[in-house]
Every structure is written in C-alpha cells, then in structure tokens.
Coordinates of all heavy atoms in Angstrom, one line a residue:
M1 N 0.4 -54.8 35.5 CA -0.2 -53.6 36.0 C -1.4 -53.1 35.2 O -1.3 -53.1 34.0 CB 0.9 -52.4 36.1 CG 0.8 -51.5 37.3 SD 1.9 -50.2 37.2 CE 3.4 -51.0 38.0
A2 N -2.4 -52.8 35.8 CA -3.7 -52.4 35.1 C -3.6 -51.0 34.6 O -3.0 -50.2 35.2 CB -4.9 -52.6 36.0
K3 N -4.3 -50.8 33.5 CA -4.4 -49.4 33.0 C -5.6 -48.8 33.5 O -6.7 -49.4 33.6 CB -4.4 -49.5 31.4 CG -3.1 -49.8 30.9 CD -2.8 -49.1 29.5 CE -1.3 -49.3 29.2 NZ -0.9 -48.5 28.0
V4 N -5.4 -47.5 33.8 CA -6.6 -46.7 34.3 C -6.8 -45.5 33.5 O -5.8 -45.0 32.8 CB -6.4 -46.3 35.8 CG1 -6.3 -47.5 36.6 CG2 -5.2 -45.4 35.9
T5 N -8.0 -45.0 33.3 CA -8.2 -43.7 32.8 C -8.1 -42.7 33.9 O -8.9 -42.6 34.8 CB -9.6 -43.5 32.1 OG1 -9.6 -44.5 31.1 CG2 -9.7 -42.2 31.5
C6 N -7.0 -41.9 33.8 CA -6.7 -41.0 35.0 C -7.4 -39.7 34.9 O -7.6 -39.0 33.9 CB -5.2 -40.7 34.9 SG -4.5 -39.5 36.1
L7 N -8.0 -39.3 36.1 CA -8.9 -38.1 36.1 C -8.0 -36.8 36.1 O -8.6 -35.8 35.9 CB -9.8 -38.2 37.4 CG -10.9 -39.3 37.3 CD1 -11.7 -39.2 38.6 CD2 -11.7 -39.0 36.1
R8 N -6.8 -37.0 36.5 CA -5.9 -35.7 36.5 C -5.4 -35.4 35.1 O -5.6 -34.3 34.6 CB -4.8 -35.9 37.4 CG -3.9 -34.7 37.4 CD -2.9 -34.6 38.6 NE -1.8 -33.7 38.3 CZ -1.8 -32.4 38.4 NH1 -2.9 -31.8 38.8 NH2 -0.7 -31.7 38.2
C9 N -4.7 -36.4 34.5 CA -4.1 -36.1 33.2 C -5.1 -36.5 32.0 O -4.8 -36.1 30.9 CB -2.8 -36.7 33.0 SG -2.8 -38.5 33.1
G10 N -6.1 -37.3 32.3 CA -7.0 -37.7 31.2 C -6.5 -38.8 30.3 O -7.2 -39.1 29.3
N11 N -5.3 -39.3 30.6 CA -4.7 -40.3 29.7 C -5.1 -41.7 30.3 O -5.3 -41.8 31.4 CB -3.3 -40.2 29.6 CG -2.9 -38.8 28.9 OD1 -3.5 -38.4 28.0 ND2 -1.9 -38.2 29.5
E12 N -5.0 -42.7 29.4 CA -5.1 -44.0 29.8 C -3.7 -44.5 30.0 O -2.9 -44.7 29.1 CB -5.8 -44.9 28.7 CG -6.3 -46.2 29.3 CD -6.9 -47.1 28.2 OE1 -7.8 -46.6 27.5 OE2 -6.5 -48.3 28.1
K13 N -3.4 -44.7 31.3 CA -2.0 -45.1 31.6 C -1.9 -46.1 32.7 O -3.0 -46.5 33.3 CB -1.3 -43.8 32.1 CG -0.9 -42.9 31.0 CD -0.5 -41.5 31.5 CE 0.9 -41.5 32.0 NZ 1.4 -40.1 32.3
E14 N -0.7 -46.6 33.0 CA -0.6 -47.5 34.1 C -1.0 -47.0 35.5 O -0.5 -45.8 35.8 CB 0.8 -48.1 34.2 CG 1.0 -49.1 33.0 CD 2.4 -49.7 33.2 OE1 3.2 -49.4 34.1 OE2 2.7 -50.6 32.3
G15 N -1.8 -47.7 36.2 CA -2.2 -47.2 37.6 C -1.2 -47.8 38.7 O -0.2 -48.4 38.4
L16 N -1.6 -47.6 39.9 CA -0.9 -48.1 41.0 C -1.0 -49.7 41.1 O -1.9 -50.2 40.6 CB -1.3 -47.3 42.3 CG -1.3 -45.9 42.3 CD1 -1.8 -45.4 43.7 CD2 0.0 -45.3 41.9
D17 N 0.0 -50.2 41.8 CA -0.1 -51.6 42.1 C -1.2 -52.0 43.1 O -1.9 -53.1 42.9 CB 1.2 -52.1 42.6 CG 2.3 -52.3 41.6 OD1 1.9 -52.5 40.4 OD2 3.5 -52.1 41.8
E18 N -1.4 -51.2 44.1 CA -2.4 -51.4 45.0 C -2.8 -50.0 45.6 O -2.2 -49.0 45.4 CB -1.8 -52.3 46.2 CG -0.6 -51.8 46.8 CD 0.0 -52.8 47.8 OE1 -0.2 -54.0 47.6 OE2 0.6 -52.3 48.8
A19 N -4.0 -50.1 46.2 CA -4.6 -48.9 46.8 C -3.6 -48.3 47.9 O -3.2 -49.0 48.7 CB -6.0 -49.2 47.4
P20 N -3.4 -47.0 47.8 CA -2.5 -46.4 48.8 C -3.1 -46.3 50.2 O -2.4 -46.2 51.2 CB -2.2 -45.0 48.2 CG -3.3 -44.7 47.3 CD -3.8 -46.0 46.8
F21 N -4.5 -46.3 50.3 CA -5.1 -46.3 51.6 C -6.2 -47.4 51.6 O -6.7 -47.7 50.6 CB -5.8 -45.0 51.9 CG -5.0 -43.8 51.5 CD1 -5.2 -43.0 50.4 CD2 -3.9 -43.4 52.3 CE1 -4.5 -41.9 50.1 CE2 -3.1 -42.4 52.0 CZ -3.4 -41.6 50.8
R22 N -6.4 -47.9 52.8 CA -7.5 -49.0 52.9 C -8.8 -48.4 53.1 O -9.4 -48.6 54.2 CB -7.1 -49.9 54.1 CG -6.0 -50.8 53.7 CD -5.5 -51.4 55.0 NE -4.1 -52.0 54.8 CZ -3.9 -53.3 55.0 NH1 -4.8 -54.2 55.4 NH2 -2.7 -53.7 54.7
N23 N -9.3 -47.5 52.3 CA -10.5 -46.9 52.5 C -11.1 -46.6 51.1 O -10.5 -46.9 50.1 CB -10.5 -45.7 53.4 CG -9.6 -44.6 52.8 OD1 -9.2 -44.6 51.7 ND2 -9.2 -43.7 53.7
E24 N -12.3 -45.9 51.1 CA -13.0 -45.6 49.9 C -12.1 -44.7 49.0 O -12.0 -44.9 47.8 CB -14.3 -44.9 50.2 CG -15.3 -44.8 49.0 CD -15.6 -46.1 48.4 OE1 -15.7 -47.1 49.1 OE2 -15.7 -46.1 47.2
L25 N -11.4 -43.8 49.6 CA -10.5 -42.9 48.9 C -9.4 -43.6 48.2 O -9.1 -43.3 47.0 CB -10.0 -41.8 49.8 CG -9.3 -40.6 49.2 CD1 -10.2 -39.9 48.2 CD2 -8.9 -39.6 50.3
G26 N -8.8 -44.5 48.9 CA -7.7 -45.4 48.3 C -8.2 -46.1 47.1 O -7.5 -46.3 46.1
K27 N -9.4 -46.6 47.2 CA -10.0 -47.3 46.0 C -10.2 -46.5 44.9 O -10.0 -46.9 43.7 CB -11.4 -48.0 46.6 CG -11.7 -49.4 45.9 CD -13.0 -49.9 46.4 CE -13.9 -50.2 45.2 NZ -15.3 -50.3 45.6
R28 N -10.6 -45.2 45.1 CA -10.9 -44.3 44.0 C -9.6 -43.9 43.4 O -9.5 -43.8 42.1 CB -11.6 -43.0 44.5 CG -12.9 -43.2 44.9 CD -13.9 -42.1 44.7 NE -13.6 -40.7 44.9 CZ -13.8 -40.1 46.0 NH1 -14.3 -40.7 47.1 NH2 -13.5 -38.8 46.2
I29 N -8.5 -43.8 44.2 CA -7.2 -43.5 43.6 C -6.7 -44.7 42.8 O -6.2 -44.5 41.6 CB -6.2 -43.2 44.7 CG1 -6.6 -41.9 45.4 CG2 -4.7 -43.2 44.2 CD1 -5.8 -41.6 46.7
L30 N -6.9 -45.8 43.3 CA -6.4 -47.0 42.5 C -7.2 -47.1 41.1 O -6.6 -47.5 40.1 CB -6.8 -48.3 43.3 CG -6.3 -49.6 42.7 CD1 -4.8 -49.7 42.7 CD2 -6.8 -50.8 43.5
E31 N -8.4 -46.7 41.1 CA -9.2 -46.9 39.9 C -9.1 -45.7 39.0 O -9.4 -45.8 37.8 CB -10.7 -47.1 40.2 CG -11.0 -48.5 40.8 CD -12.4 -48.6 41.5 OE1 -13.1 -47.6 41.4 OE2 -12.7 -49.7 41.9
H32 N -8.7 -44.5 39.4 CA -8.8 -43.3 38.6 C -7.5 -42.4 38.6 O -7.6 -41.3 38.2 CB -9.9 -42.4 39.2 CG -11.3 -43.0 39.2 ND1 -11.9 -43.5 38.1 CD2 -12.1 -43.5 40.2 CE1 -13.1 -44.0 38.4 NE2 -13.2 -44.0 39.7
T33 N -6.4 -42.9 39.1 CA -5.2 -42.2 39.1 C -4.1 -43.0 38.5 O -3.8 -44.1 38.9 CB -4.8 -41.8 40.6 OG1 -5.9 -41.0 41.1 CG2 -3.6 -40.8 40.6
C34 N -3.3 -42.3 37.6 CA -2.2 -43.0 37.0 C -1.0 -42.9 37.9 O -0.9 -42.0 38.8 CB -1.9 -42.6 35.6 SG -1.1 -41.0 35.5
N35 N 0.1 -43.8 37.7 CA 1.2 -43.8 38.5 C 2.0 -42.4 38.5 O 2.4 -42.0 39.5 CB 2.2 -44.9 37.9 CG 2.7 -45.7 39.0 OD1 2.7 -45.4 40.2 ND2 3.4 -46.8 38.7
D36 N 2.1 -41.9 37.3 CA 2.8 -40.6 37.1 C 2.2 -39.5 38.0 O 2.8 -38.7 38.7 CB 2.9 -40.2 35.7 CG 3.7 -41.2 34.9 OD1 4.5 -41.9 35.5 OD2 3.6 -41.2 33.6
C37 N 0.9 -39.4 37.9 CA 0.1 -38.3 38.6 C 0.2 -38.6 40.1 O 0.4 -37.7 40.9 CB -1.3 -38.2 38.2 SG -1.5 -37.5 36.6
W38 N 0.3 -39.9 40.5 CA 0.4 -40.2 41.9 C 1.8 -39.7 42.4 O 1.9 -39.1 43.5 CB 0.2 -41.7 42.2 CG 0.4 -42.1 43.6 CD1 1.4 -42.8 44.1 CD2 -0.5 -41.7 44.7 NE1 1.3 -42.8 45.5 CE2 0.1 -42.2 45.8 CE3 -1.7 -41.0 44.7 CZ2 -0.5 -42.1 47.1 CZ3 -2.2 -40.8 46.0 CH2 -1.6 -41.4 47.1
D39 N 2.8 -40.0 41.6 CA 4.1 -39.5 42.0 C 4.2 -37.9 42.2 O 4.8 -37.5 43.0 CB 5.1 -39.9 40.9 CG 5.6 -41.4 41.1 OD1 5.2 -42.0 42.1 OD2 6.3 -41.9 40.2
E40 N 3.5 -37.3 41.2 CA 3.5 -35.8 41.2 C 2.8 -35.4 42.5 O 3.3 -34.5 43.2 CB 2.5 -35.4 40.1 CG 3.3 -34.7 39.0 CD 2.4 -34.1 37.9 OE1 1.8 -33.1 38.2 OE2 2.3 -34.8 36.9
W41 N 1.7 -36.1 42.9 CA 1.1 -35.7 44.1 C 2.0 -35.9 45.3 O 2.0 -35.1 46.2 CB -0.3 -36.5 44.4 CG -0.7 -36.4 45.8 CD1 -0.8 -37.4 46.7 CD2 -1.1 -35.2 46.5 NE1 -1.3 -36.9 47.9 CE2 -1.4 -35.5 47.8 CE3 -1.2 -33.8 46.1 CZ2 -1.8 -34.6 48.8 CZ3 -1.6 -32.9 47.1 CH2 -1.9 -33.3 48.3
M42 N 2.8 -37.0 45.3 CA 3.7 -37.3 46.5 C 4.7 -36.2 46.6 O 5.0 -35.7 47.7 CB 4.5 -38.6 46.1 CG 3.7 -39.8 46.2 SD 3.4 -40.3 47.9 CE 1.8 -40.0 48.2
G43 N 5.1 -35.6 45.5 CA 6.1 -34.4 45.5 C 5.4 -33.3 46.1 O 5.9 -32.5 46.9
Q44 N 4.1 -33.0 45.5 CA 3.3 -31.9 46.0 C 3.0 -31.9 47.5 O 3.1 -31.0 48.2 CB 2.0 -31.9 45.1 CG 1.1 -30.7 45.4 CD 1.7 -29.5 44.6 OE1 2.6 -29.6 43.8 NE2 1.1 -28.3 45.0
Q45 N 2.7 -33.1 47.9 CA 2.4 -33.3 49.3 C 3.5 -33.0 50.2 O 3.4 -32.3 51.2 CB 1.9 -34.7 49.6 CG 1.7 -35.1 51.0 CD 1.1 -36.5 51.2 OE1 -0.1 -36.6 51.5 NE2 1.9 -37.5 51.0
L46 N 4.8 -33.4 49.8 CA 6.0 -33.1 50.5 C 6.2 -31.6 50.7 O 6.5 -31.1 51.7 CB 7.1 -33.9 49.8 CG 8.4 -34.1 50.8 CD1 8.0 -35.1 51.8 CD2 9.5 -34.6 49.9
M47 N 5.9 -30.9 49.6 CA 6.0 -29.5 49.5 C 5.1 -28.8 50.5 O 5.4 -28.0 51.2 CB 5.7 -28.9 48.1 CG 6.8 -28.1 47.5 SD 6.2 -27.6 45.8 CE 4.7 -26.6 46.2
F48 N 3.8 -29.2 50.5 CA 2.8 -28.8 51.4 C 3.2 -29.0 52.9 O 3.2 -28.1 53.7 CB 1.5 -29.5 51.2 CG 0.6 -28.9 50.2 CD1 -0.1 -29.8 49.3 CD2 0.3 -27.6 50.1 CE1 -0.9 -29.3 48.3 CE2 -0.5 -27.1 49.2 CZ -1.1 -27.9 48.3
M49 N 3.7 -30.2 53.1 CA 4.1 -30.5 54.5 C 5.2 -29.7 54.9 O 5.2 -29.3 56.1 CB 4.5 -32.0 54.6 CG 3.2 -32.9 54.6 SD 3.3 -34.7 54.3 CE 4.7 -35.1 55.3
N50 N 6.2 -29.4 54.1 CA 7.3 -28.5 54.5 C 6.9 -27.2 54.6 O 7.2 -26.5 55.6 CB 8.4 -28.7 53.4 CG 9.2 -30.0 53.5 OD1 9.1 -30.7 54.5 ND2 9.7 -30.4 52.4
E51 N 6.1 -26.6 53.7 CA 5.6 -25.3 53.7 C 4.7 -24.9 54.9 O 4.9 -23.9 55.5 CB 4.9 -25.0 52.4 CG 4.8 -23.5 52.1 CD 4.2 -23.2 50.7 OE1 4.4 -24.1 49.9 OE2 3.6 -22.1 50.5
Y52 N 3.8 -25.8 55.1 CA 2.8 -25.5 56.3 C 3.2 -26.3 57.5 O 2.4 -26.3 58.5 CB 1.4 -25.8 55.8 CG 1.0 -25.0 54.6 CD1 0.7 -25.7 53.4 CD2 1.0 -23.7 54.6 CE1 0.4 -25.0 52.3 CE2 0.6 -22.9 53.5 CZ 0.2 -23.6 52.3 OH -0.1 -22.9 51.2
R53 N 4.3 -27.0 57.5 CA 4.7 -27.8 58.7 C 3.6 -28.8 59.1 O 3.2 -28.8 60.3 CB 5.1 -26.9 59.9 CG 6.3 -26.0 59.5 CD 6.6 -25.1 60.7 NE 7.6 -24.0 60.2 CZ 8.9 -24.3 60.2 NH1 9.4 -25.4 60.6 NH2 9.7 -23.4 59.7
L54 N 3.2 -29.5 58.1 CA 2.0 -30.4 58.4 C 2.6 -31.8 58.9 O 3.6 -32.2 58.5 CB 1.2 -30.7 57.2 CG 0.6 -29.5 56.5 CD1 -0.2 -29.9 55.4 CD2 -0.3 -28.8 57.6
D55 N 1.8 -32.4 59.9 CA 2.2 -33.7 60.4 C 1.1 -34.6 59.9 O -0.1 -34.5 60.3 CB 2.2 -33.6 61.9 CG 2.5 -34.9 62.5 OD1 2.6 -35.9 61.8 OD2 2.5 -34.9 63.8
P56 N 1.4 -35.6 59.1 CA 0.4 -36.6 58.6 C -0.3 -37.3 59.8 O -1.4 -37.9 59.5 CB 1.1 -37.5 57.6 CG 2.5 -37.2 57.9 CD 2.7 -36.0 58.6
L57 N 0.4 -37.4 60.9 CA -0.2 -38.1 62.1 C -1.3 -37.3 62.8 O -2.0 -37.8 63.6 CB 0.8 -38.6 63.0 CG 1.8 -39.6 62.4 CD1 2.9 -40.0 63.4 CD2 1.1 -40.8 61.9
N58 N -1.3 -36.0 62.5 CA -2.3 -35.0 63.1 C -3.6 -35.2 62.3 O -3.6 -35.0 61.1 CB -1.7 -33.7 63.1 CG -2.7 -32.6 63.5 OD1 -3.8 -32.5 63.1 ND2 -2.1 -31.8 64.4
D59 N -4.7 -35.5 63.0 CA -5.9 -35.7 62.3 C -6.4 -34.6 61.4 O -6.8 -34.7 60.2 CB -7.1 -35.9 63.2 CG -7.1 -37.4 63.7 OD1 -6.3 -38.2 63.2 OD2 -7.9 -37.7 64.6
E60 N -6.3 -33.3 62.0 CA -6.7 -32.1 61.2 C -5.8 -31.9 60.0 O -6.2 -31.6 58.8 CB -6.5 -30.9 62.0 CG -7.8 -30.2 62.3 CD -7.8 -29.1 63.3 OE1 -7.1 -28.1 63.0 OE2 -8.3 -29.2 64.4
H61 N -4.5 -32.1 60.1 CA -3.5 -31.9 59.0 C -3.8 -33.1 58.0 O -3.7 -32.8 56.7 CB -2.1 -32.0 59.5 CG -1.7 -30.9 60.4 ND1 -0.4 -30.8 60.9 CD2 -2.3 -29.8 60.9 CE1 -0.3 -29.7 61.7 NE2 -1.5 -29.1 61.6
S62 N -4.0 -34.2 58.4 CA -4.2 -35.3 57.5 C -5.5 -35.1 56.7 O -5.6 -35.4 55.5 CB -4.1 -36.7 58.2 OG -5.3 -37.4 58.1
K63 N -6.5 -34.6 57.3 CA -7.8 -34.3 56.6 C -7.6 -33.2 55.6 O -8.0 -33.3 54.4 CB -8.8 -33.7 57.6 CG -10.2 -33.9 57.1 CD -11.3 -33.6 58.3 CE -12.5 -33.1 57.6 NZ -12.9 -31.8 58.0
Y64 N -6.8 -32.2 55.9 CA -6.4 -31.1 55.0 C -5.7 -31.7 53.8 O -6.0 -31.4 52.6 CB -5.6 -30.0 55.7 CG -5.0 -29.1 54.7 CD1 -5.8 -28.0 54.2 CD2 -3.6 -29.1 54.3 CE1 -5.2 -27.1 53.3 CE2 -3.1 -28.2 53.5 CZ -3.9 -27.2 53.0 OH -3.4 -26.3 52.1
L65 N -4.7 -32.6 54.0 CA -4.0 -33.2 53.0 C -4.9 -34.0 52.1 O -4.7 -34.0 50.8 CB -2.8 -34.0 53.5 CG -1.6 -33.3 54.0 CD1 -0.6 -34.2 54.7 CD2 -0.9 -32.6 52.9
D66 N -5.8 -34.7 52.7 CA -6.7 -35.5 51.8 C -7.6 -34.7 50.9 O -7.8 -35.0 49.8 CB -7.8 -36.3 52.8 CG -7.1 -37.6 53.3 OD1 -5.9 -37.9 53.0 OD2 -7.8 -38.3 54.1
E67 N -8.0 -33.5 51.5 CA -8.8 -32.6 50.7 C -8.0 -32.0 49.5 O -8.4 -32.0 48.3 CB -9.3 -31.4 51.5 CG -10.5 -31.8 52.4 CD -10.8 -30.8 53.5 OE1 -10.2 -29.7 53.4 OE2 -11.6 -31.1 54.3
E68 N -6.7 -31.7 49.8 CA -5.9 -31.2 48.7 C -5.6 -32.3 47.7 O -5.5 -32.0 46.5 CB -4.5 -30.7 49.3 CG -4.7 -29.4 50.1 CD -5.2 -28.3 49.2 OE1 -4.8 -28.1 48.1 OE2 -6.1 -27.5 49.7
M69 N -5.5 -33.5 48.1 CA -5.2 -34.6 47.2 C -6.3 -34.9 46.3 O -6.2 -35.0 45.1 CB -4.9 -35.9 48.1 CG -4.7 -37.1 47.2 SD -4.2 -38.5 48.2 CE -5.7 -38.8 49.1
V70 N -7.6 -34.8 46.9 CA -8.8 -35.0 46.0 C -8.9 -34.0 44.9 O -9.2 -34.2 43.8 CB -10.0 -35.0 47.0 CG1 -11.3 -34.8 46.1 CG2 -10.1 -36.3 47.7
K71 N -8.5 -32.6 45.3 CA -8.5 -31.6 44.3 C -7.4 -31.8 43.3 O -7.7 -31.7 42.1 CB -8.2 -30.2 45.1 CG -9.5 -29.6 45.6 CD -9.2 -28.2 46.0 CE -9.1 -28.1 47.6 NZ -8.6 -26.8 48.1
F72 N -6.2 -32.1 43.8 CA -5.1 -32.3 42.9 C -5.3 -33.4 41.9 O -5.0 -33.3 40.7 CB -3.8 -32.6 43.8 CG -2.6 -32.6 43.0 CD1 -1.8 -31.5 42.7 CD2 -2.1 -33.9 42.5 CE1 -0.6 -31.6 42.1 CE2 -0.9 -33.9 41.7 CZ -0.2 -32.8 41.6
L73 N -5.8 -34.5 42.3 CA -6.1 -35.7 41.5 C -7.4 -35.6 40.8 O -7.8 -36.5 40.0 CB -5.9 -36.9 42.3 CG -4.5 -37.2 43.0 CD1 -4.6 -38.4 43.8 CD2 -3.5 -37.3 41.9
N74 N -8.2 -34.6 41.0 CA -9.5 -34.5 40.4 C -10.4 -35.6 40.6 O -11.1 -36.1 39.7 CB -9.2 -34.2 38.9 CG -10.4 -33.5 38.2 OD1 -11.2 -32.8 38.9 ND2 -10.4 -33.6 36.9
L75 N -10.5 -36.0 41.9 CA -11.2 -37.2 42.2 C -12.7 -37.0 42.4 O -13.4 -37.9 42.5 CB -10.6 -37.9 43.4 CG -9.2 -38.6 43.2 CD1 -8.7 -39.0 44.5 CD2 -9.3 -39.8 42.2
K76 N -13.1 -35.8 42.5 CA -14.5 -35.5 42.8 C -15.3 -35.4 41.5 O -14.8 -34.9 40.5 CB -14.7 -34.2 43.6 CG -14.6 -34.6 45.0 CD -15.1 -33.5 45.9 CE -14.9 -34.0 47.4 NZ -14.6 -33.0 48.3
Ligands
ZN1 ZN1 -2.5 -39.1 35.3

C-alpha cells in the first residue's frame, strides 16, 4: 500500500488501495487522503445521510455529499 501525505490530518500515512470513484475527484482522494481519514469520512457521510435523509442516487444529494467530502478531506 502506498503512503500518501494526507491533506486532512497532514500525516504521511497509508492511502487507499484504489480510487473510490472513477473520476478526477477519486484520483485526488487516492493521492491525498489517508485510509484513516477516509474511514472517518465514511462515518461522517453516513451521519449526514441519516440526518438529512440523503439518497446517494439522487444527483442533487450526491453533489452535496461530494462538496461536503471535499471540505472534510481538505481536497481544495
Ligand atoms: Zn489523514
């Protein structure tokens, strides 16, 4: 597993095995997010989805989740 310098926690840690999405954002996550922070986001996302009753298959909801993810993982 490759080490990445994570933009969220600032540590050099193990990254993901593969990009979580097949797009530019997925590539950025693969290169700039550690495994632990990704797990944290997964938990956070579940909380958001329950709290706001979000459906990841809904385009608007999925766009909102992407924006929150970028903020959470400090990808910008
Ligand atoms: Zn991290």
Side-chain angles (χ1 to χ4, degrees):
M1 215 186 274
K3 291 219 169 184
V4 298
T5 301
C6 177
L7 291 178
R8 175 165 161 82
C9 63
N11 296 321
E12 195 183 311
K13 288 166 77 167
E14 284 186 358
L16 306 181
D17 283 331
E18 53 186 32
F21 314 109
R22 287 165 197 238
N23 58 19
E24 195 53 36
L25 193 54
K27 214 178 124 199
R28 288 214 321 265
I29 291 166
L30 185 65
E31 288 169 357
H32 302 297
T33 302
C34 76
N35 224 347
D36 293 342
C37 290
W38 179 250
D39 279 351
E40 251 183 75
W41 164 247
M42 288 281 108
Q44 184 77 11
Q45 175 173 255
L46 203 63
M47 234 179 62
F48 273 136
M49 280 166 44
N50 289 337
E51 196 172 337
Y52 302 117
R53 297 174 191 280
L54 299 179
D55 175 2
L57 297 179
N58 175 310
D59 277 354
E60 244 173 69
H61 292 182
S62 120
K63 197 169 156 246
Y64 171 77
L65 283 171
D66 278 359
E67 284 167 9
E68 289 301 316
M69 178 175 70
V70 164
K71 275 191 254 170
F72 186 87
L73 297 174
N74 203 18
L75 289 172
K76 270 196 183 145

